[in-house]
Amino acid sequence: GESVGLHLPTLSVQEGDNSIINCAYSNSASDYFIWYKQESGKGPQFIIDIRSNMDKRQGQRVTVLLNKTVKHLSLQIAATQPGDSAVYFCAETNTPGNTPLVFGKGTRLSVIA
Amino acid sequence: GAVVSQHPSRVICKSGTSVKIECRSLDFQATTMFWYRQFPKQSLMLMATSNEGSKATYEQGVEKDKFLINHASLTLSTLTVTSAHPEDSSFYICSAPLRRDEQFFGPGTRLTVL
């Protein structure tokens, strides 16, 4: 289930189940979105990205959905594994390049073996 | 993929001292690097944009005289936390863009000020 703590919401899933992590972004002018995975004590690791001219993009075991109408982004992880346990952040930016990323609040994914 | 390193990975210092954190792009050149700060159980917040050969651009609320940024070469940016205090204890992360929109993050530096 999903719970909201003082800072990071937590999503707990059983190993093998699918996970859905949601993110609401703030800037309607953003045209590039990225999902990052961050393990404890490490920097963010790129998972998958999507541009605003798309509404869905698939990678290996992951799918990102973009709904620009409601400014919502989701990350779906298929067959969640214990190694997927981490904090997941969405990030947004707009072109041209060399612009910094604006990160969402993050969700902690906890996989129960 | 491209590699960004940070040094040190962890540092503990006394209140009032200064600490320098290095961010290096190991296999590519970066005219711009970004510095983020992350407090426990919170998201990454942009502190400043480091520009090679020119002054850094700071986000609102970030003191430029306290967080000194030097981008002296195309592969190195440094962040110096001057007169550090316990409230500066945080996880500092840098990133460098390789191509448009693609940023690579360093492993982070854990700063603890006693």
Side-chain angles (χ1 to χ4, degrees):
Chain A
E2 184 172 326
S3 63
V4 177
L6 287 177
H7 298 292
L8 281 177
T10 299
L11 177 65
S12 297
V13 298
Q14 288 288 139
E15 181 179 0
D17 287 353
N18 297 333
S19 303
I20 300 176
I21 300 171
N22 297 303
C23 176
Y25 64 92
S26 55
N27 188 353
S28 57
S30 293
D31 65 352
Y32 180 63
F33 306 88
I34 315 104
W35 277 101
Y36 287 95
K37 174 185 180 182
Q38 186 181 30
E39 297 176 316
S40 181
K42 297 183 179 180
Q45 176 187 354
F46 174 92
I47 301 174
I48 191 168
D49 59 359
I50 188 169
R51 298 191 185 277
S52 60
N53 61 353
M54 303 172 68
D55 54 19
K56 180 178 180 179
R57 189 161 188 234
Q58 288 184 295
Q60 188 176 15
R61 276 202 313 121
V62 294
T63 300
V64 55
L65 299 177
L66 174 63
N67 185 330
K68 295 182 291 293
T69 303
V70 295
K71 293 190 287 187
H72 184 268
L73 200 64
S74 70
L75 175 69
Q76 300 177 3
I77 305 174
T80 313
Q81 303 168 359
D84 295 327
S85 294
V87 177
Y88 290 81
F89 293 98
C90 66
E92 60 182 297
T93 189
N94 54 14
T95 53
N98 280 353
T99 55
L101 297 171
V102 176
F103 282 82
K105 294 187 185 302
T107 297
R108 179 176 300 281
L109 176 64
S110 179
V111 181
I112 305 166
Chain B
V3 178
V4 175
S5 70
Q6 283 184 239
H7 177 80
S9 58
R10 290 176 177 270
V11 57
I12 301 173
C13 69
K14 293 182 179 180
S15 185
T17 61
S18 295
V19 174
K20 180 186 285 188
I21 303 170
E22 294 183 348
C23 177
R24 292 182 186 273
S25 55
L26 296 185
D27 48 3
F28 66 101
Q29 294 181 331
T31 57
T32 301
M33 292 184 178
F34 302 106
W35 285 96
Y36 296 83
R37 180 169 52 182
Q38 185 179 30
F39 292 108
K41 298 185 179 180
Q42 295 189 27
S43 188
L44 285 77
M45 295 296 293
L46 179 69
M47 297 177 66
T49 301
S50 174
N51 304 298
E52 189 268 334
S54 64
K55 291 183 179 180
T57 305
Y58 290 83
E59 295 300 297
Q60 190 173 7
V62 178
E63 299 174 57
K64 63 179 181 181
D65 295 329
K66 179 172 182 60
F67 298 98
L68 301 179
I69 292 174
N70 186 356
H71 197 146
S73 77
L74 289 171
T75 59
L76 173 63
S77 174
T78 60
L79 169 68
T80 301
V81 183
T82 63
S83 187
H85 290 282
E87 57 266 30
D88 298 322
S89 297
S90 189
F91 195 50
Y92 291 86
I93 306 171
C94 69
S95 74
L98 173 58
R99 288 174 287 273
R100 196 188 78 172
D101 301 330
E102 189 165 2
Q103 288 192 31
F104 293 88
F105 284 83
T109 297
R110 173 76 61 194
L111 171 63
T112 302
V113 185
L114 302 177

